[in-house]
Amino acid sequence: MNVAHTYTYNNRCVHNIMISGNSVNPDTIFANNEMSLRDIEIYGFDYDYTLAFYSRHLHTLIFNIARDILITKHRYPEGLRKYEYIPDFAVRGLHYDVQKALLMKIDAFHYIQLGTVYRGLHPVPDEEVIAMYEGCHIPLEIMSDFYGKSSHGLSMKQFMDIFSLPEMTLLSCVNDFFMKHNIDYEPVHLYKDVKEAIRDVHVKGIMYRAVEADIEKYICYGEQSHAVLKKLSALGKKMFLITNSPFDFVNRGMSYIVGEDWRDLFDVVIVQADKPGFFNDRRKPFRRVTDKGALLWDRIHRLDKGQIYKQGNLYEFLRLTGWRGSKVLYFGDHIYSDLADLTLKHGWRTGAIIPELRKEIKIMNTEEYVQMMTWLQALSGLIEQMQTRHRRPQTKNFFNAQFGSLFRTYHNPTYFSRRLSRFADIYMASISCLLNYDLQHTFFPRRTPLQHESPFWPDLCNGFSHFFFLRHAARACLF
């Protein structure tokens, strides 16, 4: 694979790749910041959606259990049982207006992407959206703060967790039911009840027991995670695991993925860590867990290999291990809970695992998508308004019919994408992408022009390929 071509795809010369037939390798690791693997001595991992990848059956399970909890515990209408999980309805990173019961995509500049605002399961007309918000901009005071937390009560909730896909779908389905049956309801109560139902699925162990009982149905990609861990271990790298999941659940999954001796690969294993609190709250000490799940009361003076520890905090972790700064690389899937504090406060290097990336890259590699982007680039330089707007919705539909790409609105990066670029040094579809790289490899972010630099940027596109670009755009206009 020619990595240079991979990044050229994201620059202005889209036609070069289209003409030459090159495409983006879905197993590429992309860099937001320069980072050399030769400097990394210690590798840390989250568990869910980092080492363990789940099938779509898990989201269906979460949706069904939470829906039934709403009916049995919160006395919601029995008719909700007719709703089933819709796998391709929502994407990660969306915002939910709790007061207005609207699900939407917002870009990095706090602007709503028109055409992606949903009330229940149906889009809200652009005119109505503009009237409700007096435009498309969402004020800073009702958005979540830098770490994704809301300090202004119930306003805009951002869903950054992969586990939040069933929650967004359930919210939308219940809203849809109430509207169809002309039921007057309080959106704030609905949001709180759905949130509590989803939390019960996790906290009460319902999901954990279901996965443990049928591990092959719910967990996939095990052999790739195993290969990465074996590679790092063979090269003498230190490794640790910090997860919010309980020990029995992690042990069952890791035994399936790696084998019964999985703990031999890790120097430290921490479960029920309560991230992101783990990275900030100094008050919680570590507690040792026996193989049978019993909690011991003795004071922890060191973190021993082969032992299991619960809770604790990062400051105590740093004191006991001495693992500080840029020699540590931690992988996780949650931009806020896994990565934000580590990169901003503690100087660790961070790797974001974005499972959706593989699917989006495969779509970007299709001839139909490249042709559409060629069309849009040609028209953007010629006509600013009507013709460009005419085909914009079609580019959204390539990725997700309701909300489009996880990473981009029409022109701008999404709110999710901007946070990804700030909190992750590198990002990739799965940790298996590491298998394609030597551990001496240095990742470089590709230099792209700022807006005021564009007129002076070296034109990578020679006249010959530029001719083909315009010719292809002209042919696209015929269709």
Side-chain angles (χ1 to χ4, degrees), residues 89-100:
F89 176 71
V91 298
R92 199 154 47 124
L94 299 178
H95 282 77
Y96 183 76
D97 189 322
V98 176
Q99 304 286 343
K100 295 182 174 66

Side-chain angles (χ1 to χ4, degrees), residues 299-421:
R299 186 188 295 271
I300 303 300
H301 294 285
R302 62 182 182 272
L303 299 176
D304 292 325
K305 185 170 184 176
Q307 299 296 321
I308 304 297
Y309 300 93
K310 177 183 176 181
Q311 291 184 339
N313 64 82
L314 184 65
Y315 300 91
E316 189 70 1
F317 179 88
L318 296 176
R319 185 183 72 81
L320 294 174
T321 63
W323 295 344
R324 299 177 181 274
S326 57
K327 66 181 180 180
V328 185
L329 172 59
Y330 184 77
F331 293 95
D333 68 286
H334 199 298
I335 306 300
Y336 295 134
S337 296
D338 287 323
L339 309 180
D341 290 310
L342 291 177
T343 189
L344 294 176
K345 295 182 179 180
H346 302 288
W348 284 10
R349 310 312 295 265
T350 52
I353 305 301
I354 314 292
E356 303 95 331
L357 185 63
R358 183 170 278 111
K359 177 183 176 182
E360 293 217 2
I361 289 177
K362 288 180 179 178
I363 291 171
M364 291 167 57
N365 285 338
T366 63
E367 182 178 352
E368 185 180 8
Y369 178 81
V370 175
Q371 184 182 55
M372 183 67 70
M373 292 307 299
T374 304
W375 163 279
L376 286 179
Q377 289 212 354
L379 290 182
S380 294
L382 299 173
I383 304 171
E384 199 63 36
Q385 297 297 324
M386 191 169 64
Q387 284 89 339
T388 304
R389 194 174 296 158
H390 173 68
R391 287 223 172 181
R392 277 183 184 175
Q394 294 183 28
T395 60
K396 173 173 75 75
N397 294 343
F398 276 109
F399 300 99
N400 177 280
Q402 293 74 233
F403 302 100
S405 170
L406 174 67
F407 301 97
R408 186 174 290 281
T409 59
Y410 292 132
H411 286 304
N412 295 332
T414 59
Y415 199 88
F416 175 92
S417 186
R418 178 60 58 88
R419 291 299 185 266
L420 172 65
S421 64

Side-chain angles (χ1 to χ4, degrees), residues 48 201-203 205-213 244-246 249:
D48 297 300
V201 176
H202 295 272
V203 173
I206 304 171
M207 182 195 79
Y208 300 135
R209 290 192 293 272
V211 173
E212 289 175 44
N244 286 350
S245 293
F249 180 69

Side-chain angles (χ1 to χ4, degrees), residues 173-228:
C173 287
V174 180
N175 276 316
D176 183 75
F177 179 88
F178 285 158
M179 288 186 297
K180 278 184 177 178
H181 293 84
N182 296 314
I183 298 174
D184 190 21
Y185 69 102
E186 173 53 62
V188 173
H189 297 333
L190 169 59
Y191 170 74
K192 287 183 174 179
D193 290 344
V194 170
K195 182 179 180 181
E196 183 178 332
I198 292 288
R199 185 176 65 240
D200 283 351
V201 176
H202 295 272
V203 173
K204 293 186 177 180
I206 304 171
M207 182 195 79
Y208 300 135
R209 290 192 293 272
V211 173
E212 289 175 44
D214 197 352
I215 201 83
E216 293 183 3
K217 178 178 179 180
Y218 294 107
I219 292 186
C220 48
Y221 297 143
E223 66 282 354
Q224 296 176 333
S225 295
H226 188 191
V228 171

Side-chain angles (χ1 to χ4, degrees), residues 90 124 134 247 349 374:
V124 180
E134 299 180 345
F247 170 66
R349 310 312 295 265
T374 304

